[in-house]
Amino acid sequence: MSSILPTIHVSVISGFLGSGKTTLLNRILNGDHGLKIAVMVNDFGEINIDAGLIVSATQNITSLANGCICCTVESDLIEQLEKLCSMVEGRPEHILIETSGVSDPGRVVHTLRYPQFRQRLALDTVVVLLDAERQGELPQEVRPLAQEQLAAADIVVINKVDLVSPERLQALKHQWLFPRAKVHEAVFADIPLPFIFDIRPNRLVPLARHDGQPASRRHDQLFSSFSWQSAAPLSLQELRKVLGEFAEHVYRAKGFVQLEDYPGQRFILHLVGSRLDIQPAGAWPEQDAPGSHLVVIGSRQLDADALRACLERCVGRRALAAVS
């Protein structure tokens, strides 16, 4: 039966102790997203305190207590994921996994990719929070773990930026962040929901103008969106290159693309942070003309003209030759 059930998307929220994970989780649960969400919370101790801190009582919350979610309770994680995947009534559309502050989210991502979850779960985003005030004061013995957490991130949220000076914030970035890391600065873990959830083209098209201009900003000007379309097939090689060079303030992109090397096939593109996935999605529906349509989500510094110029470079050589 699992093969005919819709895929459940998963987001992992991680970060060292006290970085603001539960604050972010509460924001998500009480946000205006319209999704059915199941929550898995892990706290390193016999009593799951984090689950008690979650203010929303309308979600399906699974507590994995008394151990690290990537170590001693991995079997519990697998068991609970199996249950959620098998649900028919009340089936969640999205699973949020909040790891403990001493967990390695990379291990959780590895679990999500086990063969039994193929076609049943889809990893959407790994968000790792960094405490701007305390990260630089972490004891030497825990710094490798904190660095592993950041290494697994699709998006790094530097939280509590109001508590540090601009100079200290810049030094923190230089010390902890990897090159080309996708970074969002926040206060009280206030980040736009599109950074967490999968971008669905049919949902976001009405919010973005089709002429390539940026859509009106939302969420108190925290981010902007950009929509791009092309009727001409794209070069897969150039597309991968361009997306790999996207500016650091581009957080996510998703859409359908037409590739010149695969005529008649539709592909779905999903970019989150620096992780790019382009997968075949069958033939084009009869009612849809082949073409490419991408929606890009980024910070308020999103440069629509620069993005449009980059994406225009992806038009395949055969299409350009036909025009000329």
Side-chain angles (χ1 to χ4, degrees), residues 205-240:
V205 166
L207 301 182
R209 293 168 54 179
H210 294 282
D211 56 3
Q213 298 300 315
S216 59
R217 291 173 180 172
R218 306 168 66 85
H219 295 280
D220 298 323
Q221 305 293 309
L222 285 176
F223 78 102
S224 57
S225 64
F226 170 85
S227 180
W228 180 81
Q229 295 182 90
S230 173
L234 309 182
S235 162
L236 177 59
Q237 180 179 356
E238 192 65 26
L239 183 62
R240 288 187 178 277

PDB file of all heavy atoms in Angstrom, residues 205-240:
ATOM      1  N   VAL A 205       3.284  30.104  -7.874  1.00  0.00           N
ATOM      2  CA  VAL A 205       3.140  30.858  -9.118  1.00  0.00           C
ATOM      3  C   VAL A 205       2.302  32.117  -8.938  1.00  0.00           C
ATOM      4  O   VAL A 205       2.663  33.174  -9.411  1.00  0.00           O
ATOM      5  CB  VAL A 205       2.556  29.965 -10.235  1.00  0.00           C
ATOM      6  CG1 VAL A 205       2.081  30.809 -11.403  1.00  0.00           C
ATOM      7  CG2 VAL A 205       3.613  28.972 -10.705  1.00  0.00           C
ATOM      8  N   PRO A 206       1.147  32.052  -8.233  1.00  0.00           N
ATOM      9  CA  PRO A 206       0.353  33.272  -8.081  1.00  0.00           C
ATOM     10  C   PRO A 206       1.068  34.355  -7.287  1.00  0.00           C
ATOM     11  O   PRO A 206       0.693  35.511  -7.378  1.00  0.00           O
ATOM     12  CB  PRO A 206      -0.894  32.792  -7.327  1.00  0.00           C
ATOM     13  CG  PRO A 206      -0.957  31.327  -7.590  1.00  0.00           C
ATOM     14  CD  PRO A 206       0.457  30.889  -7.657  1.00  0.00           C
ATOM     15  N   LEU A 207       2.113  33.987  -6.517  1.00  0.00           N
ATOM     16  CA  LEU A 207       2.802  34.977  -5.692  1.00  0.00           C
ATOM     17  C   LEU A 207       3.952  35.637  -6.423  1.00  0.00           C
ATOM     18  O   LEU A 207       4.568  36.560  -5.910  1.00  0.00           O
ATOM     19  CB  LEU A 207       3.353  34.306  -4.416  1.00  0.00           C
ATOM     20  CG  LEU A 207       2.319  33.634  -3.527  1.00  0.00           C
ATOM     21  CD1 LEU A 207       2.997  33.065  -2.301  1.00  0.00           C
ATOM     22  CD2 LEU A 207       1.234  34.622  -3.120  1.00  0.00           C
ATOM     23  N   ALA A 208       4.278  35.177  -7.626  1.00  0.00           N
ATOM     24  CA  ALA A 208       5.408  35.734  -8.344  1.00  0.00           C
ATOM     25  C   ALA A 208       4.969  36.180  -9.733  1.00  0.00           C
ATOM     26  O   ALA A 208       4.155  35.539 -10.374  1.00  0.00           O
ATOM     27  CB  ALA A 208       6.522  34.682  -8.470  1.00  0.00           C
ATOM     28  N   ARG A 209       5.515  37.265 -10.185  1.00  0.00           N
ATOM     29  CA  ARG A 209       5.167  37.764 -11.505  1.00  0.00           C
ATOM     30  C   ARG A 209       5.889  36.956 -12.563  1.00  0.00           C
ATOM     31  O   ARG A 209       7.023  36.534 -12.382  1.00  0.00           O
ATOM     32  CB  ARG A 209       5.538  39.243 -11.602  1.00  0.00           C
ATOM     33  CG  ARG A 209       4.696  40.134 -10.705  1.00  0.00           C
ATOM     34  CD  ARG A 209       5.252  41.521 -10.605  1.00  0.00           C
ATOM     35  NE  ARG A 209       5.447  42.117 -11.926  1.00  0.00           N
ATOM     36  CZ  ARG A 209       5.911  43.345 -12.099  1.00  0.00           C
ATOM     37  NH1 ARG A 209       6.214  44.078 -11.066  1.00  0.00           N
ATOM     38  NH2 ARG A 209       6.062  43.832 -13.315  1.00  0.00           N
ATOM     39  N   HIS A 210       5.249  36.767 -13.713  1.00  0.00           N
ATOM     40  CA  HIS A 210       5.803  35.909 -14.752  1.00  0.00           C
ATOM     41  C   HIS A 210       6.751  36.630 -15.684  1.00  0.00           C
ATOM     42  O   HIS A 210       7.269  36.038 -16.613  1.00  0.00           O
ATOM     43  CB  HIS A 210       4.663  35.290 -15.568  1.00  0.00           C
ATOM     44  CG  HIS A 210       3.829  34.351 -14.765  1.00  0.00           C
ATOM     45  ND1 HIS A 210       4.228  33.073 -14.472  1.00  0.00           N
ATOM     46  CD2 HIS A 210       2.623  34.523 -14.153  1.00  0.00           C
ATOM     47  CE1 HIS A 210       3.295  32.470 -13.741  1.00  0.00           C
ATOM     48  NE2 HIS A 210       2.327  33.334 -13.535  1.00  0.00           N
ATOM     49  N   ASP A 211       6.977  37.930 -15.470  1.00  0.00           N
ATOM     50  CA  ASP A 211       7.858  38.661 -16.373  1.00  0.00           C
ATOM     51  C   ASP A 211       9.294  38.671 -15.884  1.00  0.00           C
ATOM     52  O   ASP A 211      10.129  39.407 -16.383  1.00  0.00           O
ATOM     53  CB  ASP A 211       7.363  40.104 -16.531  1.00  0.00           C
ATOM     54  CG  ASP A 211       7.244  40.830 -15.187  1.00  0.00           C
ATOM     55  OD1 ASP A 211       7.600  40.218 -14.166  1.00  0.00           O
ATOM     56  OD2 ASP A 211       6.792  41.987 -15.182  1.00  0.00           O
ATOM     57  N   GLY A 212       9.591  37.847 -14.879  1.00  0.00           N
ATOM     58  CA  GLY A 212      10.961  37.782 -14.373  1.00  0.00           C
ATOM     59  C   GLY A 212      11.256  38.811 -13.307  1.00  0.00           C
ATOM     60  O   GLY A 212      12.366  38.874 -12.809  1.00  0.00           O
ATOM     61  N   GLN A 213      10.278  39.623 -12.951  1.00  0.00           N
ATOM     62  CA  GLN A 213      10.493  40.612 -11.908  1.00  0.00           C
ATOM     63  C   GLN A 213      10.246  39.988 -10.545  1.00  0.00           C
ATOM     64  O   GLN A 213       9.450  39.068 -10.418  1.00  0.00           O
ATOM     65  CB  GLN A 213       9.550  41.807 -12.108  1.00  0.00           C
ATOM     66  CG  GLN A 213       9.779  42.534 -13.419  1.00  0.00           C
ATOM     67  CD  GLN A 213      11.188  43.078 -13.515  1.00  0.00           C
ATOM     68  OE1 GLN A 213      11.692  43.660 -12.550  1.00  0.00           O
ATOM     69  NE2 GLN A 213      11.831  42.896 -14.649  1.00  0.00           N
ATOM     70  N   PRO A 214      10.927  40.475  -9.506  1.00  0.00           N
ATOM     71  CA  PRO A 214      10.724  39.887  -8.180  1.00  0.00           C
ATOM     72  C   PRO A 214       9.321  40.129  -7.672  1.00  0.00           C
ATOM     73  O   PRO A 214       8.720  41.172  -7.933  1.00  0.00           O
ATOM     74  CB  PRO A 214      11.764  40.617  -7.308  1.00  0.00           C
ATOM     75  CG  PRO A 214      12.033  41.888  -8.031  1.00  0.00           C
ATOM     76  CD  PRO A 214      11.872  41.580  -9.494  1.00  0.00           C
ATOM     77  N   ALA A 215       8.791  39.143  -6.975  1.00  0.00           N
ATOM     78  CA  ALA A 215       7.462  39.292  -6.397  1.00  0.00           C
ATOM     79  C   ALA A 215       7.515  40.260  -5.226  1.00  0.00           C
ATOM     80  O   ALA A 215       8.575  40.567  -4.699  1.00  0.00           O
ATOM     81  CB  ALA A 215       6.944  37.937  -5.916  1.00  0.00           C
ATOM     82  N   SER A 216       6.357  40.746  -4.837  1.00  0.00           N
ATOM     83  CA  SER A 216       6.321  41.637  -3.684  1.00  0.00           C
ATOM     84  C   SER A 216       6.808  40.889  -2.460  1.00  0.00           C
ATOM     85  O   SER A 216       6.536  39.715  -2.275  1.00  0.00           O
ATOM     86  CB  SER A 216       4.892  42.126  -3.448  1.00  0.00           C
ATOM     87  OG  SER A 216       4.027  41.031  -3.239  1.00  0.00           O
ATOM     88  N   ARG A 217       7.552  41.586  -1.621  1.00  0.00           N
ATOM     89  CA  ARG A 217       8.155  40.931  -0.476  1.00  0.00           C
ATOM     90  C   ARG A 217       7.119  40.656   0.595  1.00  0.00           C
ATOM     91  O   ARG A 217       6.184  41.407   0.793  1.00  0.00           O
ATOM     92  CB  ARG A 217       9.280  41.807   0.068  1.00  0.00           C
ATOM     93  CG  ARG A 217      10.459  41.867  -0.901  1.00  0.00           C
ATOM     94  CD  ARG A 217      11.488  42.865  -0.448  1.00  0.00           C
ATOM     95  NE  ARG A 217      12.602  42.896  -1.388  1.00  0.00           N
ATOM     96  CZ  ARG A 217      13.581  43.792  -1.330  1.00  0.00           C
ATOM     97  NH1 ARG A 217      13.584  44.708  -0.413  1.00  0.00           N
ATOM     98  NH2 ARG A 217      14.563  43.755  -2.221  1.00  0.00           N
ATOM     99  N   ARG A 218       7.350  39.571   1.315  1.00  0.00           N
ATOM    100  CA  ARG A 218       6.429  39.130   2.335  1.00  0.00           C
ATOM    101  C   ARG A 218       7.214  38.898   3.619  1.00  0.00           C
ATOM    102  O   ARG A 218       8.419  39.061   3.663  1.00  0.00           O
ATOM    103  CB  ARG A 218       5.716  37.844   1.886  1.00  0.00           C
ATOM    104  CG  ARG A 218       5.042  37.987   0.515  1.00  0.00           C
ATOM    105  CD  ARG A 218       4.611  36.646  -0.012  1.00  0.00           C
ATOM    106  NE  ARG A 218       3.565  36.043   0.798  1.00  0.00           N
ATOM    107  CZ  ARG A 218       2.268  36.311   0.632  1.00  0.00           C
ATOM    108  NH1 ARG A 218       1.877  37.156  -0.291  1.00  0.00           N
ATOM    109  NH2 ARG A 218       1.364  35.736   1.399  1.00  0.00           N
ATOM    110  N   HIS A 219       6.498  38.486   4.675  1.00  0.00           N
ATOM    111  CA  HIS A 219       7.138  38.187   5.962  1.00  0.00           C
ATOM    112  C   HIS A 219       8.006  39.360   6.423  1.00  0.00           C
ATOM    113  O   HIS A 219       9.184  39.200   6.725  1.00  0.00           O
ATOM    114  CB  HIS A 219       7.977  36.912   5.866  1.00  0.00           C
ATOM    115  CG  HIS A 219       7.178  35.692   5.619  1.00  0.00           C
ATOM    116  ND1 HIS A 219       6.501  35.015   6.594  1.00  0.00           N
ATOM    117  CD2 HIS A 219       6.929  35.013   4.458  1.00  0.00           C
ATOM    118  CE1 HIS A 219       5.890  33.974   6.071  1.00  0.00           C
ATOM    119  NE2 HIS A 219       6.123  33.957   4.784  1.00  0.00           N
ATOM    120  N   ASP A 220       7.420  40.574   6.422  1.00  0.00           N
ATOM    121  CA  ASP A 220       8.119  41.754   6.922  1.00  0.00           C
ATOM    122  C   ASP A 220       9.428  41.992   6.190  1.00  0.00           C
ATOM    123  O   ASP A 220      10.439  42.342   6.788  1.00  0.00           O
ATOM    124  CB  ASP A 220       8.374  41.617   8.441  1.00  0.00           C
ATOM    125  CG  ASP A 220       7.077  41.533   9.213  1.00  0.00           C
ATOM    126  OD1 ASP A 220       6.111  42.212   8.833  1.00  0.00           O
ATOM    127  OD2 ASP A 220       7.047  40.780  10.198  1.00  0.00           O
ATOM    128  N   GLN A 221       9.404  41.799   4.890  1.00  0.00           N
ATOM    129  CA  GLN A 221      10.554  42.106   4.043  1.00  0.00           C
ATOM    130  C   GLN A 221      11.758  41.200   4.306  1.00  0.00           C
ATOM    131  O   GLN A 221      12.890  41.547   3.970  1.00  0.00           O
ATOM    132  CB  GLN A 221      10.982  43.577   4.233  1.00  0.00           C
ATOM    133  CG  GLN A 221       9.866  44.574   4.008  1.00  0.00           C
ATOM    134  CD  GLN A 221       9.403  44.609   2.566  1.00  0.00           C
ATOM    135  OE1 GLN A 221      10.199  44.738   1.668  1.00  0.00           O
ATOM    136  NE2 GLN A 221       8.113  44.479   2.350  1.00  0.00           N
ATOM    137  N   LEU A 222      11.528  40.033   4.885  1.00  0.00           N
ATOM    138  CA  LEU A 222      12.641  39.149   5.189  1.00  0.00           C
ATOM    139  C   LEU A 222      13.176  38.438   3.949  1.00  0.00           C
ATOM    140  O   LEU A 222      14.341  38.073   3.906  1.00  0.00           O
ATOM    141  CB  LEU A 222      12.218  38.089   6.222  1.00  0.00           C
ATOM    142  CG  LEU A 222      12.088  38.569   7.656  1.00  0.00           C
ATOM    143  CD1 LEU A 222      11.564  37.447   8.532  1.00  0.00           C
ATOM    144  CD2 LEU A 222      13.422  39.062   8.179  1.00  0.00           C
ATOM    145  N   PHE A 223      12.330  38.237   2.957  1.00  0.00           N
ATOM    146  CA  PHE A 223      12.809  37.538   1.775  1.00  0.00           C
ATOM    147  C   PHE A 223      12.028  37.992   0.554  1.00  0.00           C
ATOM    148  O   PHE A 223      11.032  38.707   0.645  1.00  0.00           O
ATOM    149  CB  PHE A 223      12.681  36.024   1.955  1.00  0.00           C
ATOM    150  CG  PHE A 223      11.276  35.498   1.771  1.00  0.00           C
ATOM    151  CD1 PHE A 223      10.904  34.864   0.596  1.00  0.00           C
ATOM    152  CD2 PHE A 223      10.323  35.648   2.767  1.00  0.00           C
ATOM    153  CE1 PHE A 223       9.622  34.385   0.422  1.00  0.00           C
ATOM    154  CE2 PHE A 223       9.035  35.174   2.602  1.00  0.00           C
ATOM    155  CZ  PHE A 223       8.685  34.539   1.423  1.00  0.00           C
ATOM    156  N   SER A 224      12.505  37.601  -0.606  1.00  0.00           N
ATOM    157  CA  SER A 224      11.817  37.915  -1.848  1.00  0.00           C
ATOM    158  C   SER A 224      11.843  36.684  -2.736  1.00  0.00           C
ATOM    159  O   SER A 224      12.639  35.761  -2.523  1.00  0.00           O
ATOM    160  CB  SER A 224      12.475  39.105  -2.552  1.00  0.00           C
ATOM    161  OG  SER A 224      13.844  38.848  -2.786  1.00  0.00           O
ATOM    162  N   SER A 225      10.977  36.661  -3.724  1.00  0.00           N
ATOM    163  CA  SER A 225      10.921  35.519  -4.627  1.00  0.00           C
ATOM    164  C   SER A 225      11.045  35.986  -6.071  1.00  0.00           C
ATOM    165  O   SER A 225      10.770  37.150  -6.393  1.00  0.00           O
ATOM    166  CB  SER A 225       9.630  34.722  -4.433  1.00  0.00           C
ATOM    167  OG  SER A 225       8.512  35.517  -4.767  1.00  0.00           O
ATOM    168  N   PHE A 226      11.451  35.089  -6.918  1.00  0.00           N
ATOM    169  CA  PHE A 226      11.724  35.388  -8.321  1.00  0.00           C
ATOM    170  C   PHE A 226      11.222  34.226  -9.156  1.00  0.00           C
ATOM    171  O   PHE A 226      11.479  33.061  -8.830  1.00  0.00           O
ATOM    172  CB  PHE A 226      13.231  35.576  -8.496  1.00  0.00           C
ATOM    173  CG  PHE A 226      13.692  35.655  -9.920  1.00  0.00           C
ATOM    174  CD1 PHE A 226      13.662  36.846 -10.611  1.00  0.00           C
ATOM    175  CD2 PHE A 226      14.175  34.532 -10.565  1.00  0.00           C
ATOM    176  CE1 PHE A 226      14.106  36.926 -11.921  1.00  0.00           C
ATOM    177  CE2 PHE A 226      14.613  34.593 -11.870  1.00  0.00           C
ATOM    178  CZ  PHE A 226      14.581  35.795 -12.558  1.00  0.00           C
ATOM    179  N   SER A 227      10.480  34.529 -10.219  1.00  0.00           N
ATOM    180  CA  SER A 227       9.941  33.490 -11.083  1.00  0.00           C
ATOM    181  C   SER A 227      10.520  33.637 -12.479  1.00  0.00           C
ATOM    182  O   SER A 227      10.594  34.750 -13.019  1.00  0.00           O
ATOM    183  CB  SER A 227       8.414  33.604 -11.140  1.00  0.00           C
ATOM    184  OG  SER A 227       7.873  32.608 -11.978  1.00  0.00           O
ATOM    185  N   TRP A 228      10.940  32.519 -13.065  1.00  0.00           N
ATOM    186  CA  TRP A 228      11.570  32.538 -14.396  1.00  0.00           C
ATOM    187  C   TRP A 228      11.004  31.412 -15.238  1.00  0.00           C
ATOM    188  O   TRP A 228      10.808  30.302 -14.750  1.00  0.00           O
ATOM    189  CB  TRP A 228      13.079  32.379 -14.261  1.00  0.00           C
ATOM    190  CG  TRP A 228      13.818  32.394 -15.565  1.00  0.00           C
ATOM    191  CD1 TRP A 228      14.188  33.485 -16.292  1.00  0.00           C
ATOM    192  CD2 TRP A 228      14.307  31.259 -16.282  1.00  0.00           C
ATOM    193  NE1 TRP A 228      14.865  33.103 -17.420  1.00  0.00           N
ATOM    194  CE2 TRP A 228      14.955  31.744 -17.447  1.00  0.00           C
ATOM    195  CE3 TRP A 228      14.259  29.884 -16.050  1.00  0.00           C
ATOM    196  CZ2 TRP A 228      15.558  30.884 -18.374  1.00  0.00           C
ATOM    197  CZ3 TRP A 228      14.845  29.030 -16.977  1.00  0.00           C
ATOM    198  CH2 TRP A 228      15.490  29.530 -18.123  1.00  0.00           C
ATOM    199  N   GLN A 229      10.732  31.716 -16.502  1.00  0.00           N
ATOM    200  CA  GLN A 229      10.195  30.712 -17.407  1.00  0.00           C
ATOM    201  C   GLN A 229      10.948  30.733 -18.729  1.00  0.00           C
ATOM    202  O   GLN A 229      11.477  31.779 -19.144  1.00  0.00           O
ATOM    203  CB  GLN A 229       8.711  30.975 -17.674  1.00  0.00           C
ATOM    204  CG  GLN A 229       7.832  30.836 -16.455  1.00  0.00           C
ATOM    205  CD  GLN A 229       6.374  31.054 -16.802  1.00  0.00           C
ATOM    206  OE1 GLN A 229       5.661  30.115 -17.139  1.00  0.00           O
ATOM    207  NE2 GLN A 229       5.926  32.299 -16.726  1.00  0.00           N
ATOM    208  N   SER A 230      10.981  29.590 -19.382  1.00  0.00           N
ATOM    209  CA  SER A 230      11.584  29.496 -20.709  1.00  0.00           C
ATOM    210  C   SER A 230      10.874  28.405 -21.492  1.00  0.00           C
ATOM    211  O   SER A 230      10.709  27.288 -21.001  1.00  0.00           O
ATOM    212  CB  SER A 230      13.079  29.182 -20.614  1.00  0.00           C
ATOM    213  OG  SER A 230      13.625  28.934 -21.900  1.00  0.00           O
ATOM    214  N   ALA A 231      10.472  28.721 -22.696  1.00  0.00           N
ATOM    215  CA  ALA A 231       9.858  27.722 -23.568  1.00  0.00           C
ATOM    216  C   ALA A 231      10.905  26.877 -24.275  1.00  0.00           C
ATOM    217  O   ALA A 231      10.609  25.805 -24.790  1.00  0.00           O
ATOM    218  CB  ALA A 231       8.959  28.406 -24.596  1.00  0.00           C
ATOM    219  N   ALA A 232      12.151  27.345 -24.300  1.00  0.00           N
ATOM    220  CA  ALA A 232      13.233  26.637 -24.978  1.00  0.00           C
ATOM    221  C   ALA A 232      13.865  25.607 -24.044  1.00  0.00           C
ATOM    222  O   ALA A 232      14.002  25.853 -22.839  1.00  0.00           O
ATOM    223  CB  ALA A 232      14.293  27.617 -25.454  1.00  0.00           C
ATOM    224  N   PRO A 233      14.271  24.452 -24.564  1.00  0.00           N
ATOM    225  CA  PRO A 233      14.952  23.449 -23.729  1.00  0.00           C
ATOM    226  C   PRO A 233      16.260  24.002 -23.164  1.00  0.00           C
ATOM    227  O   PRO A 233      16.912  24.853 -23.784  1.00  0.00           O
ATOM    228  CB  PRO A 233      15.210  22.299 -24.712  1.00  0.00           C
ATOM    229  CG  PRO A 233      14.252  22.509 -25.833  1.00  0.00           C
ATOM    230  CD  PRO A 233      14.076  23.994 -25.954  1.00  0.00           C
ATOM    231  N   LEU A 234      16.638  23.477 -22.003  1.00  0.00           N
ATOM    232  CA  LEU A 234      17.838  23.937 -21.316  1.00  0.00           C
ATOM    233  C   LEU A 234      18.968  22.910 -21.411  1.00  0.00           C
ATOM    234  O   LEU A 234      18.722  21.721 -21.576  1.00  0.00           O
ATOM    235  CB  LEU A 234      17.527  24.217 -19.840  1.00  0.00           C
ATOM    236  CG  LEU A 234      16.332  25.114 -19.536  1.00  0.00           C
ATOM    237  CD1 LEU A 234      16.201  25.317 -18.031  1.00  0.00           C
ATOM    238  CD2 LEU A 234      16.449  26.445 -20.251  1.00  0.00           C
ATOM    239  N   SER A 235      20.174  23.398 -21.276  1.00  0.00           N
ATOM    240  CA  SER A 235      21.345  22.526 -21.198  1.00  0.00           C
ATOM    241  C   SER A 235      21.522  22.061 -19.762  1.00  0.00           C
ATOM    242  O   SER A 235      21.661  22.895 -18.856  1.00  0.00           O
ATOM    243  CB  SER A 235      22.599  23.284 -21.663  1.00  0.00           C
ATOM    244  OG  SER A 235      23.779  22.629 -21.231  1.00  0.00           O
ATOM    245  N   LEU A 236      21.533  20.763 -19.531  1.00  0.00           N
ATOM    246  CA  LEU A 236      21.697  20.239 -18.178  1.00  0.00           C
ATOM    247  C   LEU A 236      23.052  20.638 -17.608  1.00  0.00           C
ATOM    248  O   LEU A 236      23.160  21.026 -16.442  1.00  0.00           O
ATOM    249  CB  LEU A 236      21.552  18.710 -18.180  1.00  0.00           C
ATOM    250  CG  LEU A 236      21.769  18.013 -16.841  1.00  0.00           C
ATOM    251  CD1 LEU A 236      20.791  18.524 -15.785  1.00  0.00           C
ATOM    252  CD2 LEU A 236      21.631  16.501 -17.003  1.00  0.00           C
ATOM    253  N   GLN A 237      24.090  20.556 -18.411  1.00  0.00           N
ATOM    254  CA  GLN A 237      25.430  20.900 -17.939  1.00  0.00           C
ATOM    255  C   GLN A 237      25.504  22.364 -17.498  1.00  0.00           C
ATOM    256  O   GLN A 237      26.033  22.684 -16.435  1.00  0.00           O
ATOM    257  CB  GLN A 237      26.454  20.641 -19.042  1.00  0.00           C
ATOM    258  CG  GLN A 237      27.887  20.971 -18.642  1.00  0.00           C
ATOM    259  CD  GLN A 237      28.880  20.671 -19.761  1.00  0.00           C
ATOM    260  OE1 GLN A 237      28.517  20.157 -20.815  1.00  0.00           O
ATOM    261  NE2 GLN A 237      30.135  20.987 -19.537  1.00  0.00           N
ATOM    262  N   GLU A 238      24.949  23.252 -18.315  1.00  0.00           N
ATOM    263  CA  GLU A 238      24.995  24.667 -17.978  1.00  0.00           C
ATOM    264  C   GLU A 238      24.093  24.976 -16.791  1.00  0.00           C
ATOM    265  O   GLU A 238      24.413  25.821 -15.949  1.00  0.00           O
ATOM    266  CB  GLU A 238      24.576  25.502 -19.187  1.00  0.00           C
ATOM    267  CG  GLU A 238      24.870  26.986 -19.043  1.00  0.00           C
ATOM    268  CD  GLU A 238      26.359  27.291 -18.965  1.00  0.00           C
ATOM    269  OE1 GLU A 238      27.161  26.493 -19.501  1.00  0.00           O
ATOM    270  OE2 GLU A 238      26.713  28.323 -18.359  1.00  0.00           O
ATOM    271  N   LEU A 239      22.962  24.274 -16.706  1.00  0.00           N
ATOM    272  CA  LEU A 239      22.047  24.487 -15.592  1.00  0.00           C
ATOM    273  C   LEU A 239      22.707  24.128 -14.268  1.00  0.00           C
ATOM    274  O   LEU A 239      22.605  24.874 -13.278  1.00  0.00           O
ATOM    275  CB  LEU A 239      20.781  23.662 -15.797  1.00  0.00           C
ATOM    276  CG  LEU A 239      19.668  23.823 -14.764  1.00  0.00           C
ATOM    277  CD1 LEU A 239      19.157  25.251 -14.736  1.00  0.00           C
ATOM    278  CD2 LEU A 239      18.529  22.848 -15.046  1.00  0.00           C
ATOM    279  N   ARG A 240      23.381  22.989 -14.232  1.00  0.00           N
ATOM    280  CA  ARG A 240      24.084  22.597 -13.012  1.00  0.00           C
ATOM    281  C   ARG A 240      25.159  23.621 -12.650  1.00  0.00           C
ATOM    282  O   ARG A 240      25.345  23.960 -11.481  1.00  0.00           O
ATOM    283  CB  ARG A 240      24.714  21.215 -13.189  1.00  0.00           C
ATOM    284  CG  ARG A 240      23.702  20.065 -13.199  1.00  0.00           C
ATOM    285  CD  ARG A 240      24.420  18.725 -13.205  1.00  0.00           C
ATOM    286  NE  ARG A 240      23.496  17.619 -13.167  1.00  0.00           N
ATOM    287  CZ  ARG A 240      22.944  17.131 -12.066  1.00  0.00           C
ATOM    288  NH1 ARG A 240      23.234  17.691 -10.893  1.00  0.00           N
ATOM    289  NH2 ARG A 240      22.115  16.109 -12.117  1.00  0.00           N
TER     290      ARG A 240
END
